[in-house]
């Protein structure tokens, strides 16, 4: 009963110590974690290094994973870079084993742990909510962690004198798998691979487990971290699911390699141990083994990571991502420019429909966070397609159509920015401070714009149905609204700040109409030209590629820069 109590107490100290240490270090790091990830993930090697370093410092791969997913979700970190941070984080978890092996089992635990607890508690109590208090909490965690290690080591030594697990002598695969399962269950139950690792090291040092069995438990503990990733898949964003699955794939690969190459890897670890002059304890051997098979995993992932990223990108698609995929662009028709232009026109028509719908939503003060991302993604894809098309020789007709389509798309992107301004400036409906005259002018202006855009979305600017305001009507309504705003401000019935917001809002709304008119006119012009030339254009001469590129670049940058 006393032995059982010691095991439970040691495990409790270990878990609470690790929790305090990890939380304290994360709080002490503050925004450094975010800043470091933002600056050091732009290449594979940097992502790997940053994942390793931060995990080693804060002693929490979960914190690094969460931060990585956050950056990937925000679009600041591509999936390709995010997975390398995750791989580095897996290597960084080996630091726990090294801390335990080189400090926890090699020094006077009580002589180190108790002063750490005392100093940490003093910093925590005197530091209020400062970084010093967080660092103090981490020191307390270190101290409790080492005390837990000491108790577990003593308990396993006492248990090992009377009982031991079967030694894996013939490297029976079934026996190895059972020990791997043991490590996996320990990590799953405690939700801490580091805690399971410490138990394996303590059991090996205490003689309860042989080195081979302990190594198999270490493999299982490393594999057990995937349970957290698998749990996070449910209800998570597509990006989070992809990052989590990359974590699962990496750990499965390293576990399989480590199981089938257990003996060679232990031999390699022993050779490195002797070469580096390290202590010949079982804990150091296991720490080396843990590092070796994770590094081998990184080496194996280096040539296949791009394939994995491409595979994951096609999985866990959300509705928004599906909508952001082009429906008409086909690289196979790039050698037939007329068909390629027709495909581009159809895709930009989709962009037009979304742009009209998003602008109307913003005018009604309805926030839609998905449409801008979908529209911008589609525009980027269409732009890349246009660059590919422009590398070939184009006839004057196709070149002119390409320029018009690119300019139309640029207009829609500009309207997207204006719509964001409109929603940021808030709607003009429901404001009690507007008097009757102001409200009438505002409603007339707003309804005119919405009727105009709804009519424009289904026809050309020149062919609006009777009763639908044209752009001249929008200009008139704008001038009336602007004049009313200025008069109300001049008489002191409207605050200057409110006047400025309303004027900006009105100007952004009017400009949105004008640019949508221009975009729609260009798009419909190309579509009509394509219909008239359905039989194909026969013009033998082609514009030089350099001239095409110049025209494309020039048309792509002709945005309206008028001031409000």
């Amino acid at each position: 009963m006393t032995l059982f109590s010691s095991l439970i107490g040691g495990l409790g100290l270990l878990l609470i110590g690790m929790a305090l240490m990890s939380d304290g270090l994360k709080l002490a790091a503050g925004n450094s974690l975010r800043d470091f990830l933002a600056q050091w993930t732009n290449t594979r090697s940097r992502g790997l290094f940053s994942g390793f370093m931060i995990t080693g410092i804060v002693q929490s791969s979960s914190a690094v994973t969460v931060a990585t997913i956050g950056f990937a979700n925000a679009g600041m970190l591509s999936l390709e870079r995010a997975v390398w941070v995750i791989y580095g984080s897996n290597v960084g978890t080996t630091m726990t084993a090294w801390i335990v092996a080189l400090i926890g089992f090699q020094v006077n635990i009580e002589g180190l742990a108790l002063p750490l607890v005392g100093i940490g508690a003093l910093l925590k109590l005197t530091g209020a909510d400062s970084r010093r208090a967080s660092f103090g909490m981490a020191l307390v965690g270190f101290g409790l962690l080492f005390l837990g290690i000491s108790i577990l080591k003593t308990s396993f030594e006492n248990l090992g004198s009377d009982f031991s697990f079967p030694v894996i002598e013939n490297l029976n695969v079934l026996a190895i798998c059972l020990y791997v399962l043991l490590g996996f269950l320990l990590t799953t139950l405690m939700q801490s691979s580091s805690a399971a690792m410490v138990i394996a090291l303590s059991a090996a040092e205490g003689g309860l487990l042989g080195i081979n069995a302990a190594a198999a438990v270490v493999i299982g503990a490393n594999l057990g971290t995937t349970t957290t990733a698998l749990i996070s898949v449910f209800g998570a964003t597509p990006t989070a699911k992809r990052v989590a699955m990359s974590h699962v794939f990496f750990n499965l690969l390293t576990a399989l390699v480590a199981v089938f190459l257990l003996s060679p890897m232990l031999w390699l670890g022993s050779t490195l141990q002797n070469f580096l002059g390290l202590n010949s304890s079982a804990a150091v051997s296991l720490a080396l083994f843990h590092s070796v098979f994770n590094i081998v995993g990184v080496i194996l992932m280096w040539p296949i990571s791009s394939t994995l990223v491409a595979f994951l990108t096609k999985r866990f698609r959300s509705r928004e991502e599906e909508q952001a995929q082009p429906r008409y662009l086909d690289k196979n028709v790039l050698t037939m420019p007329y068909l390629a232009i027709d495909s581009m026109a159809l895709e930009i028509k989709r962009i037009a429909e979304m742009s009209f719908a998003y602008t109307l939503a913003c005018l009604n003060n309805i926030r839609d966070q998905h449409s801008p991302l979908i529209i911008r993604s589609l525009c980027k894809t269409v732009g890349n397609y246009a660059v590919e098309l422009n590398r070939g020789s184009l006839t004057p007709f196709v070149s002119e159509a390409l320029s018009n389509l690119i300019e139309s798309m640029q207009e829609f992107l500009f309207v997207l920015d204006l719509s964001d301004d409109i929603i940021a400036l808030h709607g003009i409906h429901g404001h009690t401070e507007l008097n009757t005259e102001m409200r009438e002018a505002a409603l007339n202006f707003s309804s005119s714009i919405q009727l105009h855009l709804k009519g424009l979305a289904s026809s050309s600017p020149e062919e609006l149905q009777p009763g639908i305001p044209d752009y001249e009507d929008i200009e008139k309504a704008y001038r009336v609204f602007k004049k009313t705003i200025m008069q109300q401000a001049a008489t002191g019935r409207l605050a200057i700040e409110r006047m400025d917001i309303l004027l900006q809002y009105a100007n952004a709304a009017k400009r949105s109409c004008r640019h949508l008119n221009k975009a729609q006119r260009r798009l419909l012009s190309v579509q009509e030209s394509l219909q008239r030339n359905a039989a194909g254009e026969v013009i033998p001469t082609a514009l030089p590629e350099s001239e095409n590129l110049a025209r494309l670049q020039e048309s792509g940058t002709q945005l309206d820069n008028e001031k409000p």
Side-chain angles (χ1 to χ4, degrees), residues 370-385:
H370 300 300
S371 291
L373 298 175
I374 295 171
I375 294 170
R376 287 193 171 94
S377 178
L378 274 174
C379 287
K380 181 179 179 181
T381 304
V382 172
N384 292 335
Y385 190 84

Side-chain angles (χ1 to χ4, degrees), residues 2-302:
T2 303
L3 182 60
F4 180 75
S5 300
S6 297
L7 285 171
I8 294 296
L11 181 59
L13 284 172
L14 177 69
L15 292 174
I16 193 66
M18 294 202 69
L20 289 173
M21 178 182 67
S22 177
D23 290 344
L25 288 172
K26 282 187 287 186
L27 290 172
N31 292 330
S32 300
L33 173 65
R34 180 195 65 194
D35 297 339
F36 193 81
L37 277 176
Q39 297 174 11
W40 281 85
T41 54
N42 57 339
T43 64
R44 281 187 174 190
S45 54
R46 283 190 170 193
L48 187 69
F49 176 75
S50 54
F52 168 77
M53 284 297 297
I54 297 175
T55 303
I57 291 171
V58 303
Q59 287 294 293
S60 174
S61 60
S62 298
V64 178
T65 301
V66 169
T68 302
I69 289 173
F71 274 99
N73 275 334
M76 299 172 63
L77 196 61
S78 67
L79 181 61
E80 173 70 27
R81 301 296 173 242
V83 298
W84 283 99
V85 177
I86 296 298
Y87 303 156
S89 177
N90 275 276
V91 179
T93 58
T94 64
M95 293 297 292
T96 302
W98 283 108
I99 291 172
V100 172
L102 297 178
I103 300 177
F105 292 140
Q106 306 299 325
V107 300
N108 182 348
I109 296 292
E110 287 78 6
L112 174 67
L114 294 178
L116 284 178
V117 172
I119 296 171
L122 181 63
L123 292 175
K124 172 65 178 173
L125 293 173
T126 59
D129 295 327
S130 66
R131 183 169 294 187
R132 183 179 64 183
S134 301
F135 186 67
M137 185 166 67
L139 285 180
V140 172
F142 269 113
L144 294 180
L145 169 68
F146 291 140
L147 284 175
I149 290 172
S150 177
I151 295 172
L152 284 176
K153 180 173 178 289
T154 303
S155 300
F156 282 128
E157 286 175 348
N158 294 333
L159 185 61
S161 61
D162 300 319
F163 170 80
S164 64
F165 286 102
V167 177
I168 305 177
E169 295 178 350
N170 299 321
L171 296 177
N172 181 279
V173 174
L174 178 61
I176 295 175
C177 289
L178 288 175
Y179 283 117
V180 170
L181 179 61
L182 175 62
F184 180 86
L185 291 174
L186 284 173
T187 298
T188 302
L189 292 173
M190 295 184 294
Q191 285 296 293
S192 173
S193 62
S194 297
M197 202 82 61
V198 172
I199 290 175
L201 267 61
S202 301
E205 281 289 310
L208 184 64
L209 285 176
I211 189 68
N212 292 334
V217 174
V218 168
I219 295 172
N222 199 72
L223 184 60
T225 59
T226 60
T227 56
T228 303
L230 287 172
I231 291 171
S232 70
V233 167
F234 298 99
T237 64
T239 302
K241 292 177 181 178
R242 292 173 192 136
V243 175
M245 291 311 297
S246 71
H247 177 62
V248 171
F249 185 86
F250 177 85
N251 281 5
L252 279 173
L253 178 65
T254 53
L256 287 172
V257 170
V259 165
F260 287 105
L261 298 178
L262 181 61
S263 183
M265 284 192 176
L266 284 172
W267 172 84
L268 177 60
S270 176
T271 302
L272 288 173
Q273 198 171 349
N274 293 330
F275 177 77
L276 297 172
L278 298 173
N279 191 288
S280 58
S281 67
V284 173
S285 299
L286 291 173
L288 261 172
F289 171 74
H290 189 208
S291 298
V292 166
F293 79 75
N294 272 288
I295 292 172
V296 167
V298 170
I299 294 172
L300 292 174
M301 289 304 303
W302 197 272

Side-chain angles (χ1 to χ4, degrees), residues 355-368 372 376 412-429 431 445-446 449-450 453 474 478 481 498 500-516 564:
S355 298
F356 276 105
Y358 180 64
T359 302
L360 285 167
C362 291
L363 288 168
N364 286 296
N365 203 22
I366 299 173
R367 296 181 182 275
D368 178 3
R376 287 193 171 94
F412 285 124
L413 281 172
F414 192 68
V415 169
L416 198 63
D417 293 333
L418 288 171
S419 298
D420 291 339
D421 291 341
I422 290 172
I423 201 71
L425 292 167
H426 307 295
I428 59 175
H429 301 294
H431 290 280
F445 176 65
S446 178
I449 286 180
Q450 295 190 47
L453 293 183
I474 299 301
Y478 168 74
F481 185 36
R498 181 65 181 148
D500 184 57
I501 291 174
L502 287 172
L503 286 174
Q504 289 185 60
Y505 170 84
N507 189 271
K510 184 199 69 170
R511 294 173 69 197
S512 294
C513 287
R514 185 157 62 83
H515 287 285
L516 284 171

Side-chain angles (χ1 to χ4, degrees), residues 184 297 351 563:
F184 180 86
I351 293 172
K563 301 297 182 181

